[in-house]
Amino acid sequence: MKKSISSIFTLAAMAALAWLFWQWGFCRFYVAPGYMAVVTAKTGQPLEPGQILARSGQKGVREDVLGEGRHFLNPVLFDVEIVPIVTIPVGKIGIVTAKIGAELPEGEFLADAGQKGIWRHVLGPGKYRLNPYGYMIDVTDAVSIPVGYVGVLTSLSGKQPAAGAFARAGEKGVRADVLQPGLYYVNAREYKVDVLEVGVNQVSLLGVGGQVITKRQIITQSKATDELQRTTLMEQQQQRRVYLEKSENLAALDKRPSRALMAQSDARAEGAAPAAKPLGRSDDTLATFALNQMVEFPSRDGFDISLDMTVEFELLPEALAEIFRNYGDLPAVVEKIILPQILSVSRLKGSAYGAKDFVVGEGREKFQKDLTETLAGTLKEKRIIVHNALIRHVGVPMQILDPIQQASIAAEQDLTNREMQNTARKLAQLNTEQALIEQRRAQVAQETEKLKAEIRADQEKQVALTLAEATRRVAEIEQQTAGVRAERTLKLGQAEAEVIQLVEGEKARGQVMKVQAFGDPQAYSLAEFAAGLNDRLNINIIHAGDGTLWTDLENARLGDLGGAGVLSGRPAAGGPPARPAPRQVK
């Protein structure tokens, strides 16, 4: 029995060891960080028709993947494939295409949760474990809108909006709301984002070429965002290159001899060589793109006029969506709206002026002001703000330019001669005035000395008068003071006399009243005598026999004496001087 139990335990231990050896030696596998495991079941129920990923109990690639860490699977029943997880860096998005799920409704091409197709929701920066057999992820750039730009949204899915209206939620077309500068994770399959410039820009027509001067790229602190902005602006650069090629092709078909002639005549008039290279054709097409256009029109007197012009215009953010919906981006706005209006208004207004008006400053300034006001009013209806229309150079035929220049030179020479004469006359007047100034200076100096002497004498006189007046006032004050002192002395003497009279009179009346109180003057005198005696006076009575009193007084002590009474006024030893005091002798 014991042997059987021991055998059972031995077999159980061997089975456990064999199971551990199987699990750790053959079934164990490890998924490193940044990876995931795709599991394929070799056994189970077959997949349903159209099913791609297997669920639990089915044969095939399982939908769920295993993450990082240690796992155990039977290699006989399962195959494991280690693949990297999907990592989306900063500034990127992931557009997911689901191969599994329900079919999309008719007319829809963006899928929601549980549907097959392109997901409407995009994956932002991060790490994702999606089965590569069921999902395909395209990593692309997010939309970065630099400062000075806005993004116009065009919805690619939904219903058609009402005619002439912006698209709302669930509708297809241009949206009224625009994206401000920043980083946006927008599904490129759901929305098309056109990054357009806002603010003030310039269109320059230079006769032999033109340019649109716009804002350059702004450096940002984020390297990833900076790269996205560079990509966005490079796309705009490519659009302008296409526009440039288109403009050059159109210019090749329009070969009017007057344009080259005007450019050469303008160069001769300015004393410079013709431009060999149009502006805006450098490698820095990020800021400019060429417009092979020029403003040409006949003047009122029949001469051909050409203009170099710069127009400053502004696209407001709140109007940019409407402008984009009606005309397109900035190159399209310039081509379809601004340039035609510049050419049309310039020809319309310029034909009302004579050739001389474009040479003389006043007429040219009036034409520029008229052109700016008319162009601003026309483009304002299209939500485009025009700030200035500046004319830099006017090309006029030489047959009229030379006489005007000669006349202008003669007029300027005449003005110069007149000014020289005026200068000589003014110089003579200046010399005369300088001599008068010296004379006047000496006169003023003499008058100044005279005034100083008069002022000094007047000051001395005023000082003497003031001193005399002060002395007189001091004497008067001293006289008044002496009178006050005498009056004070008199009053003090009278007051003291009255005080003495009052005090002594009261004392006399007091004495009379005391005598009257005693009833007898002698009694009053005794009372006064008694009041004046010393309080410490001792009175002793000495008794002596016949004929021995006066002989024994000298040797006897007061305490031992007896006999007849004698008054002694001697004070006690060490006491204060005796004050007489009244005593009654018995």
Side-chain angles (χ1 to χ4, degrees), residues 27 45 159 273 408 545 579:
C27 300
Q45 298 293 328
K159 301 177 182 179
S408 298
R579 180 175 62 90

Side-chain angles (χ1 to χ4, degrees), residues 303-317:
F303 292 97
D304 291 334
I305 306 297
S306 63
L307 298 177
D308 286 353
M309 181 185 305
T310 295
V311 177
E312 291 182 350
F313 67 95
E314 182 178 3
L315 302 181
L316 300 178

Side-chain angles (χ1 to χ4, degrees), residues 185-255:
Y185 299 113
V186 179
N187 192 339
R189 310 294 175 82
E190 183 180 9
Y191 294 102
K192 176 177 175 290
V193 181
D194 292 278
V195 179
L196 304 181
E197 298 177 55
V198 294
V200 179
N201 297 287
Q202 290 183 355
V203 176
S204 296
L205 305 177
L206 305 179
V208 293
Q211 62 180 349
V212 173
I213 303 176
T214 58
K215 293 178 290 297
R216 292 180 176 271
Q217 177 186 5
I218 298 177
I219 300 175
T220 59
Q221 297 179 353
S222 174
K223 186 175 181 180
T225 306
D226 181 53
E227 184 64 28
L228 289 174
Q229 292 181 359
R230 186 179 296 107
T231 302
T232 301
L233 296 176
M234 289 299 293
E235 292 177 357
Q236 281 200 337
Q237 177 183 352
Q238 182 62 31
Q239 293 178 1
R240 294 180 181 180
R241 285 174 179 169
V242 172
Y243 181 80
L244 174 63
E245 295 174 358
K246 178 181 176 182
S247 182
E248 289 179 346
N249 293 333
L250 291 176
L253 298 177
D254 184 17
K255 296 181 178 179

Side-chain angles (χ1 to χ4, degrees), residues 246-519:
K246 178 181 176 182
S247 182
E248 289 179 346
N249 293 333
L250 291 176
L253 298 177
D254 184 17
K255 296 181 178 179
R256 287 176 289 181
S258 61
R259 176 176 304 175
L261 181 61
M262 291 296 179
Q264 294 177 3
S265 65
D266 293 344
R268 289 196 301 270
E270 294 292 336
K277 179 180 180 182
L279 295 178
R281 294 300 310 277
S282 64
D283 294 334
D284 189 14
T285 53
L286 182 65
T288 64
F289 63 89
L291 300 173
N292 195 6
Q293 297 286 338
M294 63 186 307
V295 180
E296 294 179 337
F297 54 86
S299 64
R300 183 180 58 196
D301 43 10
F303 292 97
D304 291 334
I305 306 297
S306 63
L307 298 177
D308 286 353
M309 181 185 305
T310 295
V311 177
E312 291 182 350
F313 67 95
E314 182 178 3
L315 302 181
L316 300 178
E318 58 269 19
L320 204 54
E322 181 180 353
I323 293 175
F324 178 78
R325 184 189 63 179
N326 295 333
Y327 312 115
D329 59 358
L330 180 60
V333 170
V334 174
E335 178 185 10
K336 298 177 182 179
I337 301 300
I338 297 178
L339 277 180
Q341 291 297 331
I342 291 175
L343 297 175
S344 175
V345 174
S346 299
R347 290 165 183 166
L348 178 63
K349 294 297 180 181
S351 299
Y353 290 82
K356 184 179 179 180
D357 295 331
F358 294 99
V359 179
V360 181
E362 295 181 358
R364 180 171 172 174
E365 183 178 357
K366 182 179 178 182
F367 169 72
Q368 178 175 290
K369 182 179 180 181
D370 194 10
L371 175 65
T372 301
E373 292 177 353
T374 305
L375 192 61
T378 303
L379 293 180
K380 185 177 181 180
E381 300 176 356
K382 303 182 184 300
R383 309 290 301 275
I384 300 173
I385 307 301
V386 174
H387 295 288
N388 288 301
L390 305 176
I391 299 175
R392 288 191 302 273
H393 178 71
V394 179
V396 180
M398 294 300 297
Q399 61 266 32
I400 190 173
L401 181 61
D402 285 340
I404 295 175
Q405 287 181 341
Q406 294 300 326
S408 298
I409 292 173
E412 291 296 331
Q413 187 64 40
D414 182 63
L415 290 176
T416 302
N417 294 332
R418 292 181 182 178
E419 289 300 325
M420 291 176 64
Q421 293 177 0
N422 291 333
T423 302
R425 184 167 55 253
K426 294 295 183 182
L427 183 59
Q429 293 177 358
L430 177 62
N431 294 331
T432 304
E433 293 295 334
Q434 287 179 347
L436 292 175
I437 289 172
E438 292 296 331
Q439 180 182 358
R440 183 60 179 168
R441 182 183 294 112
Q443 182 180 357
V444 169
Q446 294 176 358
E447 292 178 354
T448 302
E449 291 298 329
K450 178 182 177 182
L451 290 175
K452 289 169 61 177
E454 292 177 353
I455 292 172
R456 190 180 304 111
D458 185 66
Q459 287 179 346
E460 292 175 355
K461 177 182 178 181
Q462 293 296 330
V463 170
L465 291 176
T466 303
L467 183 60
E469 180 67 19
T471 304
R472 186 181 66 80
R473 293 293 298 170
V474 168
E476 291 179 354
I477 293 172
E478 289 180 352
Q479 181 181 2
Q480 294 175 0
T481 303
V484 171
R485 289 198 191 101
E487 184 179 359
R488 174 176 174 274
T489 303
L490 178 61
K491 289 184 177 181
L492 287 176
Q494 293 175 354
E496 289 177 356
E498 291 177 358
V499 168
I500 293 172
Q501 181 180 0
L502 291 174
V503 171
E504 294 300 327
E506 292 298 326
K507 287 182 179 180
R509 283 194 294 271
Q511 293 295 330
V512 172
M513 292 176 67
K514 288 182 180 179
V515 171
Q516 292 175 356
F518 280 95

Side-chain angles (χ1 to χ4, degrees), residues 74-136:
N74 192 333
V76 179
L77 303 178
F78 301 96
D79 280 337
V80 177
E81 179 183 2
I82 306 297
V83 297
I85 63 176
V86 178
T87 301
I88 300 177
V90 176
K92 302 287 184 178
I93 59 172
I95 299 178
V96 181
T97 302
K99 303 177 183 179
I100 61 175
E103 296 293 337
L104 293 176
E106 186 177 356
E108 291 288 339
F109 64 92
L110 294 178
D112 293 323
Q115 292 181 330
K116 183 189 298 185
I118 301 172
W119 281 6
R120 190 183 304 274
H121 173 71
V122 297
L123 303 179
K127 297 182 178 181
Y128 300 90
R129 298 186 184 91
L130 292 178
N131 197 321
Y133 291 95
Y135 303 92
M136 182 177 65

